[in-house]
């Protein structure tokens, strides 16, 4: 028998599934940006920042938001500026602001009960948790049969590293027991053999989070890392591709091979220092500047990990959930062997990671915290998946992404002294400015005209729209960019 909440969500599912062709479901109520202050941020945000600064570090705050008035792909700030948002809360909003289906979910009593009685999922999950796990497994990456729910990208990666370490040690011990006196006593004082000298290999330019283990594999910005102790773990070069790709096939192939050779060398070099239990990589280095590598590179990297008994961890925190024109970005690789672990968060609403049967541990409490995720987010994820499937938003991301990439290439040709290296997969697109100052001028100039985009790396401008980003909104974004670039090119 269905609970009231499950029955309500099934009714929503039937309504959503009744429409086959893509249509704009964002219900935004805005048709264009509207900037009402002389600059963004405006005076109300500046006053709020000054007030907050008395008790809070405000250095990362861009502006305060009016979420009640925000709709669809339009974000309204505290000053009443209506902004076309192509950044979507750092790539985390799958269907935009105040999506009607989400709002309706929170009128349901069972959803409210999950909010006010937030369960400690590892110990006392609601009866609906089994259905939630099945729902998550409906979009599991091919070849991965297990899932752990968590709260955010950092904790997803942090616990994925732990899973890789536990897998490595289990393989190393063979049939020997884990809980020997030597292991127990030494781990309690952070010494081998209970606390073994192991490592995770990561890549220059990577971003995997800011918790301590993740921070040791993050190499995108010094501000994240300075003054913080880090594990001495190996770092391989990530390919630095040259654009346009079709003009540098030979050079890019050689660069990728250089990086693969470095990975193999590091695995062998570290065997007698801190053996590499796992490697972690993003299908597209997001915070590091939207840096890409070829499908062939990733397939060969996967093969190297297999040959050396290194767990392959694919960080899909930013690239998961359809945005690249496949549900998972690593699906583009067509690798004959899946990753061992795939981490997720952001557009997946909840955090966590998928993994293979072989990676599964036998004991409780090894991957554990009080909440292990947030059950109030699972109905939102379920509804999101219904919309993604019924509206074929994977194809929409692919098609709209092609239009976005074509438009950026046109702008690149018109303003060659200002921007270059436009690139992307699906709607996960970016371009580079000629230098950091110009990039910052582009981002600020576009914001003053009502377009919110993101910055990454040294000189990259990135786009992370919702999955309901429309052709009309793309045209508006391109017009604003064109105007912004025109002004910069004249200075």
């Amino acid at each position: 028998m269905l609970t009231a909440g499950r029955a309500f969500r099934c009714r929503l599912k039937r309504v959503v599934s009744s429409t086959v062709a893509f249509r704009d479901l964002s219900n935004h109520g805005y048709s264009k940006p509207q900037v009402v202050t002389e600059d963004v941020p405006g005076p109300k945000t500046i006053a709020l920042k000054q007030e907050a600064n008395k008790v809070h570090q405000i250095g990362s705050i861009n502006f305060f938001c009016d979420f009640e008035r925000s709709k669809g792909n339009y974000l309204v700030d505290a000053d009443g500026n209506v902004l076309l948002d192509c950044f979507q809360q750092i790539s985390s909003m799958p269907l935009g602001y105040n999506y009607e289906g989400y709002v309706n979910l929170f009128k349901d009593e069972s959803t409210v009960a999950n909010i006010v009685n937030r369960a400690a999922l590892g110990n006392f999950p609601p009866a609906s948790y089994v259905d939630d796990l099945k729902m998550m497994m409906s979009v599991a990456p091919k070849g991965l049969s297990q899932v752990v729910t968590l709260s955010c990208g950092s904790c997803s990666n942090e616990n994925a590293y732990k899973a890789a370490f536990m897998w490595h040690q289990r393989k190393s011990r063979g049939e020997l027991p884990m809980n020997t006196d030597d292991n127990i006593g030494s781990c309690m004082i952070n010494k081998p053999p209970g606390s073994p000298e192991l490592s995770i290999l990561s890549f220059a330019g990577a971003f995997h989070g800011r918790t301590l283990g993740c921070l040791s594999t993050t190499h995108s910005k010094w501000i994240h890392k300075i003054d913080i102790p880090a594990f001495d773990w190996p770092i391989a070069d990530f390919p630095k591709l040259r654009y346009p790709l079709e003009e540098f096939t030979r050079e890019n192939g050689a660069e990728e091979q250089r990086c693969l050779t470095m990975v193999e060398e590091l695995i062998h070099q570290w065997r007698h220092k801190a053996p590499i239990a796992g490697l972690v990589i993003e299908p597209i280095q997001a915070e590091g500047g939207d840096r890409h590598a070829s499908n062939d590179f990733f397939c060969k990297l996967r093969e190297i990990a297999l040959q050396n008994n290194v767990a392959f961890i694919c960080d899909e925190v930013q690239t998961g959930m359809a945005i690249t024109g496949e549900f998972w970005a690593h699906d583009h690789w067509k690798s004959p062997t899946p990753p061992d672990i795939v981490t997720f968060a952001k557009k997946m609403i909840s955090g966590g990671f998928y993994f293979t049967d072989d990676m599964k541990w036998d004991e409780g409490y090894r991957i554990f915290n009080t909440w292990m995720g947030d059950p109030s987010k699972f109905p939102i994820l379920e509804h999101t998946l219904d919309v993604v499937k019924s509206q074929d938003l994977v194809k929409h991301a692919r098609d709209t992404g092609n239009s976005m990439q074509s438009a950026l290439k046109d702008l690149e040709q018109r303003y060659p002294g200002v921007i270059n290296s436009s690139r992307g997969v699906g709607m996960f697109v970016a371009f580079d400015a000629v230098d950091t100052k110009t990039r910052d001028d582009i981002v600020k100039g576009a914001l003053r005209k009502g377009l919110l985009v993101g910055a990454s790396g040294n000189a990259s401008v990135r786009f992370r729209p919702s999955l309901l980003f429309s052709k009309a909104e793309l045209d508006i974004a391109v017009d604003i960019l064109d105007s912004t670039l025109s002004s910069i090119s004249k200075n």
Side-chain angles (χ1 to χ4, degrees):
M1 182 176 180
L2 289 174
T3 64
R6 285 283 165 184
F8 181 81
R9 285 150 64 178
C10 286
R11 290 197 298 275
L12 276 178
K13 183 174 183 178
R14 286 196 294 272
V15 170
V16 172
S17 299
S18 65
T19 303
V20 177
F22 173 79
R23 60 189 176 90
D24 185 356
L25 297 174
S26 53
N27 189 33
H28 50 64
Y30 300 112
S31 59
K32 62 181 180 180
Q34 184 178 7
V35 177
V36 297
T37 58
E38 291 185 8
D39 201 357
V40 181
K44 288 185 179 178
T45 278
I46 292 172
L48 286 169
K49 288 177 73 171
Q50 291 172 343
E51 186 68 18
N53 193 46
K54 297 175 183 177
V55 295
H56 182 71
Q57 213 299 316
I58 63 166
S60 63
I61 294 177
N62 292 322
F63 52 80
F64 288 86
C65 304
D66 185 342
F67 287 114
E68 291 184 21
R69 294 177 59 196
S70 301
K71 298 286 184 181
N73 293 312
Y74 286 89
L75 173 63
V76 180
D77 74 4
D79 289 272
N81 296 306
V82 180
L83 309 170
L84 178 56
D85 187 356
C86 290
F87 199 39
Q88 291 286 316
Q89 302 298 308
I90 319 179
S91 192
S92 64
M93 303 284 285
L95 303 179
Y97 297 99
N98 287 305
Y99 177 67
E100 186 176 12
Y102 294 164
V103 174
N104 287 336
L105 283 173
F106 285 84
K107 297 175 183 177
D108 179 56
E109 289 182 2
S110 68
T111 305
V112 173
N114 277 333
I115 296 172
V116 300
N117 304 293
R118 184 174 180 180
L121 290 177
N123 287 141
F124 308 105
S128 60
Y129 190 46
V130 172
D131 288 332
D132 293 325
L133 293 174
K134 291 178 180 177
M135 173 265 295
M136 287 189 166
M137 290 308 300
S138 72
V139 291
K142 297 178 183 67
L144 305 191
S145 52
Q146 305 286 326
V147 68
V148 163
T149 59
L150 294 158
S151 293
C152 68
S154 290
C155 62
S156 300
N157 285 328
E158 191 86 16
N159 283 285
Y161 299 173
K162 288 170 61 180
F165 291 138
M166 294 187 303
W167 169 81
H168 180 276
Q169 288 301 93
R170 189 171 70 251
K171 296 291 185 182
S172 299
R173 277 193 299 268
E175 298 300 320
L176 295 176
M178 170 180 65
N179 57 339
T180 63
D181 290 343
D182 199 15
N183 282 341
I184 292 172
S186 58
C187 81
M188 298 306 290
I189 56 172
N190 304 332
K191 301 291 185 182
S195 293
E197 295 288 345
L198 298 174
S199 63
I200 298 289
L201 183 146
S202 56
F203 290 81
F207 181 90
H208 298 292
R210 296 180 179 87
T211 51
L212 277 176
C214 290
L215 198 57
S216 293
T217 61
T218 286
H219 317 290
S220 55
K221 294 184 179 71
W222 63 265
I223 193 65
H224 303 323
K225 296 175 68 71
I226 199 165
D227 293 333
I228 312 299
F231 291 109
D232 180 15
W233 287 350
I235 306 167
D237 288 348
F238 190 87
K240 294 181 179 179
L241 301 187
R242 298 176 66 183
Y243 293 87
L245 294 177
E246 60 273 13
E247 294 182 13
F248 297 99
T249 304
R250 181 177 59 82
E251 293 89 342
N252 288 339
E255 168 67 359
E256 290 191 336
Q257 185 55 54
R258 181 187 69 83
C259 295
L260 291 168
T261 300
M262 178 183 286
V263 169
E264 291 185 289
E265 291 173 348
L266 286 169
I267 291 173
H268 291 290
Q269 289 169 9
W270 281 70
R271 278 181 176 160
H272 303 293
K273 180 179 180 181
I276 295 172
L279 66 80
V280 60
I281 195 163
E282 304 156 272
I284 303 168
Q285 281 195 341
E287 298 288 333
D290 273 54
R291 299 171 66 193
H292 293 247
S294 71
N295 295 337
D296 183 63
F297 170 82
F298 288 107
C299 288
K300 289 179 178 176
L301 184 66
R302 179 67 184 107
E303 185 61 28
I304 291 171
L306 277 173
Q307 291 172 355
N308 290 278
N309 294 315
V310 171
F312 190 101
I313 305 168
C314 184
D315 178 351
E316 292 249 26
V317 169
Q318 280 218 27
T319 54
M321 181 65 89
I323 187 70
T324 68
E326 294 282 358
F327 194 92
W328 300 106
H330 74 266
D331 287 338
H332 289 283
W333 305 345
K334 308 300 182 187
S335 172
T337 308
D340 296 299
I341 298 174
V342 174
T343 62
F344 61 86
K346 290 193 180 286
K347 281 186 173 65
M348 282 287 286
I349 310 299
S350 176
F353 62 91
Y354 295 99
F355 55 105
T356 63
D357 282 341
D358 190 46
M359 299 293 299
K360 190 174 184 178
W361 50 98
D362 296 325
E363 307 82 11
Y365 291 97
R366 304 213 74 195
I367 302 291
F368 184 86
N369 58 44
T370 298
W371 282 324
M372 297 294 291
D374 184 349
S376 71
K377 299 298 190 294
F378 299 149
I380 301 177
L381 174 58
E382 182 177 32
H383 189 59
T384 302
L385 295 180
D386 290 340
V387 174
V388 168
K389 294 171 185 176
S390 66
Q391 296 296 306
D392 200 359
L393 295 187
V394 173
K395 181 178 184 300
H396 176 69
R398 192 182 308 133
D399 294 343
T400 305
N402 288 338
S403 298
M404 292 176 71
Q405 293 169 52
S406 177
L408 291 182
K409 287 186 183 299
D410 288 342
L411 291 174
E412 184 181 338
Q413 292 174 0
R414 293 183 60 192
Y415 304 101
V418 183
I419 65 172
N420 57 71
S421 303
S422 58
R423 57 202 181 274
V425 183
M427 293 194 292
F428 207 98
V429 302
F431 62 82
D432 288 344
V434 293
D435 53 39
T436 303
K437 180 184 181 304
T438 302
R439 188 274 308 279
D440 293 344
D441 288 344
I442 293 170
V443 172
K444 292 175 183 176
L447 186 60
R448 292 188 188 104
K449 298 175 185 293
L451 175 66
L452 176 59
V453 293
S456 65
N458 291 324
S460 298
V461 176
R462 55 177 165 163
F463 296 78
R464 301 292 187 267
S466 83
L467 298 174
L468 295 175
F469 192 60
S470 70
K471 179 64 167 61
E473 289 163 339
L474 172 58
D475 291 342
I476 292 171
V478 172
D479 285 344
I480 292 176
L481 270 178
D482 189 2
S483 175
T484 303
L485 294 171
S486 177
S487 297
I488 290 173
S489 66
K490 294 173 182 177
N491 293 335

